[in-house]
């Protein structure tokens, strides 16, 4: 497509001087014919040929110039040519007025068509680098997919289309080479996981927010699988988001069981304690079962004390406690991700605003087996409560 467009543009540039000469020659010939012919003959219409030839240059300035000259010479012909025998003056004037109107309409249409064409060319030139980058990403994803055994996919934001590697087909139960559904693989996630992953995908498309989620998937044949899906924004060289790239990995049948998440959390506890951001986890009923060291350092409260059920609530600003508990309870009941802003007391007694989020992890049957969350301090200007 790109090479065809470039070839067409190159041909137009090469032929433009030729069409300029033709349009000037046509303008002279039509004017000469107009002034030596009785005015009753509608030679004024022949000026349309001048505009048509000028239009082949794809140069708006040249078309406008030839159009204005056509209007001027067509008007001059009314003064220089002889009146025909047997034609009333009114008929001659109407004839010439219609010619001027036809020239004006043709000139306007040509200028608008060229403006639209130039706008499309500019848009094409803008998207060609993005399309090339997407093609490179797709080729890289296909190669990585075969090397790692993980299904990769790519979403084109401009065209609203999905590209996926062949390894996604067996995960969702499609035949080799079968075209993907319109929504990629989103339709294979049952509720409430589907709403969760769709919301995360839309957030990534609109705001460039990456995500990683583990949740159940139901294949075309009805088989349940536990998968991990992820998405991250893809940007062009100017920093404009042009799409989303992601993975789909089948976790079913691996050595990880339904306790995979809890075991991983315990194995990573020492690394999590070194993070400056508060991370935490909760049981399916909402009971907090883990805080990393960052919350204790921020609040000045020993971890042993914070581990007491409900003790973490004492760190919240009194005005935020009821709203926090109510929102958390609703998320526990409906399984939707937790996203809220509230104030946490610092070791010096000051309350600082935090963005607190949590995502449920599910087993192959869609049951929540763990909640994983974080709490990040934010400036007061970012508070939306």
């Amino acid at each position: 497509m790109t090479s065809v467009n470039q070839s067409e543009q190159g041909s137009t540039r090469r032929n433009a001087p030729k069409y300029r000469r033709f349009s000037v020659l046509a303008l002279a010939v039509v004017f000469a014919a107009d002034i030596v012919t009785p005015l009753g003959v509608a030679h004024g219409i022949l000026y349309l040929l001048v505009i048509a030839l000028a239009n082949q240059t794809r140069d708006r300035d040249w078309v406008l110039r030839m159009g204005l000259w056509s209007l001027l010479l067509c008007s001059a012909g009314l003064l220089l040519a002889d009146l025909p025998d047997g034609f009333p003056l009114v008929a001659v004037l109407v004839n010439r007025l219609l010619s001027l109107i036809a020239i004006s309409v043709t000139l306007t249409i040509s200028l608008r068509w060229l403006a639209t064409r130039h706008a499309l060319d500019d848009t094409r030139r803008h998207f060609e680098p993005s399309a090339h980058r997407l093609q490179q990403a797709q080729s890289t994803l296909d190669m990585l997919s075969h090397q790692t055994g993980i299904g990769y996919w790519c979403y084109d934001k401009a065209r609203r289309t999905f590209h996926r590697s062949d390894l996604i087909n067996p995960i969702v139960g499609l035949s080799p080479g079968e075209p993907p559904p319109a929504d990629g693989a989103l339709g294979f996630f049952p509720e409430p996981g589907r709403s969760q992953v769709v919301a995360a995908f839309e957030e990534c498309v609109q705001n460039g927010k990456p995500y990683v989620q583990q949740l159940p998937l139901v294949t075309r044949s009805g088989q349940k699988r536990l998968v991990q899906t992820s998405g991250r924004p893809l940007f062009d060289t100017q920093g404009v988001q042009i799409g989303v790239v992601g993975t789909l990995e089948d976790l079913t049948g691996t050595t990880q069981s339904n306790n995979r998440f809890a075991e991983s959390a315990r194995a990573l506890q020492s690394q999590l304690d070194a993070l400056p951001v508060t991370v935490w986890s909760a049981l399916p009923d909402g009971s907090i079962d883990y805080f990393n060291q960052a919350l204790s350092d921020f609040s000045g409260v020993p971890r042993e004390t914070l581990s007491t059920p409900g003790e973490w609530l004492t760190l919240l600003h009194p005005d935020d406690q009821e709203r926090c508990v109510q929102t958390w309870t609703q998320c526990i009941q409906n399984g939707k991700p937790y996203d809220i802003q509230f104030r946490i007391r610092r070791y010096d007694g000051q309350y600082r605003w935090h963005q607190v989020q949590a995502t449920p992890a599910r087993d192959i049957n869609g049951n929540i087996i763990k909640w994983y969350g974080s709490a990040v301090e934010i400036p007061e200007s970012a508070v939306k409560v």
Side-chain angles (χ1 to χ4, degrees):
M1 178 73 72
T2 301
S3 60
V4 172
N5 293 329
Q6 291 175 343
S7 175
E8 180 182 352
Q9 293 171 3
S11 176
T12 300
R13 286 193 295 268
R14 289 192 300 271
N15 293 327
K18 177 178 66 176
Y19 284 112
R20 285 193 179 93
R21 292 193 295 270
F22 284 166
S23 59
V24 171
L25 178 61
L27 182 67
V29 170
V30 172
F31 178 65
D34 192 27
I35 62 177
V36 300
T37 305
L39 287 172
V41 180
H43 282 95
I45 297 297
L46 294 180
Y47 284 105
L48 302 185
L49 174 62
V50 176
I51 299 177
L53 288 171
N55 200 45
Q56 296 302 311
T57 66
R58 304 293 190 263
D59 185 341
R60 293 185 65 200
D61 292 337
W62 183 258
V63 173
L64 178 61
R65 190 180 305 171
M66 289 295 100
L68 294 177
W69 272 107
S70 296
L71 289 171
L72 178 62
L73 296 181
C74 184
S75 301
L78 183 62
L79 303 176
L80 299 176
D82 297 329
L83 291 175
D85 296 333
F87 278 85
L89 179 60
V90 173
V92 173
L93 292 176
V94 170
N95 176 285
R96 188 56 45 144
L97 178 61
L98 291 176
S99 296
L100 291 173
I101 292 175
I103 295 172
S104 300
V105 171
T106 303
L107 176 60
T108 301
I109 293 175
S110 296
L111 292 175
R112 289 188 175 181
W113 179 79
L114 286 175
T116 302
R117 184 183 180 89
H118 290 169
L120 290 175
D121 289 341
D122 290 341
T123 302
R124 186 183 299 114
R125 284 192 295 270
H126 173 74
F127 281 108
E128 278 176 358
S130 298
H132 180 64
R133 181 168 172 80
L134 278 171
Q135 291 175 353
Q136 287 181 324
Q138 291 171 4
S139 299
T140 303
L141 291 176
D142 289 338
M143 178 185 67
L144 291 174
S145 180
H146 288 287
Q147 289 180 348
T148 63
I150 299 176
Y152 283 82
W153 53 270
C154 183
Y155 176 72
D156 187 334
K157 190 174 180 180
R159 296 183 176 88
R160 298 183 180 181
T161 56
F162 283 89
H163 167 81
R164 63 177 184 189
S165 64
D166 294 337
L167 288 179
I168 287 185
N169 273 13
I171 297 178
V172 299
L174 298 179
S175 303
E178 186 174 351
D183 61 353
L186 295 177
F188 292 98
F189 293 98
E191 295 292 359
R194 179 185 302 175
S195 299
Q196 176 181 324
V197 73
V198 168
F201 171 74
E202 292 295 337
E203 181 72 11
C204 188
V205 171
Q206 299 300 326
N207 301 317
K209 183 179 180 180
Y211 66 91
V212 178
Q213 296 186 355
Q214 297 172 351
L215 64 167
L217 176 146
V218 178
T219 67
R220 172 182 286 179
S221 62
Q223 181 182 5
K224 291 184 178 180
R225 297 181 184 273
L226 181 64
V227 300
Q228 175 170 289
T229 180
S230 67
R232 61 181 298 273
L234 178 65
F235 300 95
D236 63 13
T237 54
Q238 283 75 41
V240 178
Q241 184 179 350
I242 57 176
V244 177
V245 293
T247 62
L248 185 67
E249 181 181 4
D250 187 4
L251 304 179
T252 310
T254 64
T255 56
Q256 304 286 359
S257 65
N258 287 348
N259 295 324
R260 160 190 176 95
F261 308 103
E263 293 173 358
S264 298
R266 286 193 293 269
L268 293 174
Q269 181 171 338
S270 59
Q271 289 91 339
L272 294 177
D273 284 338
L275 294 177
V277 177
T278 297
V279 294
W280 53 276
S281 64
L283 299 175
D285 63 1
S287 303
I288 308 298
D289 65 345
Y290 172 75
F291 289 106
N292 70 337
Q293 185 63 33
L295 182 61
S296 179
D297 294 340
F298 179 85
S299 63
V301 179
R303 292 180 67 173
E304 295 76 11
T305 304
L306 289 176
S307 299
T308 303
E311 182 65 24
W312 66 275
L313 285 171
T314 63
L315 300 178
L316 273 60
H317 192 285
D319 295 341
D320 298 336
Q321 291 183 8
E322 182 178 354
R323 178 172 55 87
C324 171
V325 172
Q326 183 179 6
T327 304
W328 180 232
T329 302
Q330 291 175 352
C331 291
I332 295 301
Q333 293 174 349
N334 58 34
K336 294 183 178 180
Y338 183 59
D339 194 350
I340 191 174
Q341 295 174 339
F342 54 72
R343 289 162 285 186
I344 300 177
R345 188 180 68 245
R346 201 166 59 180
Y347 59 86
D348 57 1
Q350 294 188 18
Y351 286 94
R352 312 294 292 184
W353 282 98
H354 284 69
Q355 182 78 47
V356 183
Q357 297 175 314
T359 301
R362 303 175 184 273
D363 63 14
I364 195 170
N365 295 314
N367 300 316
I368 296 176
I369 59 174
K370 200 79 168 178
W371 288 84
Y372 291 99
S374 63
V376 181
E377 185 176 352
I378 58 175
E380 193 165 353
S381 59
V383 177
K384 301 178 181 179
V385 177

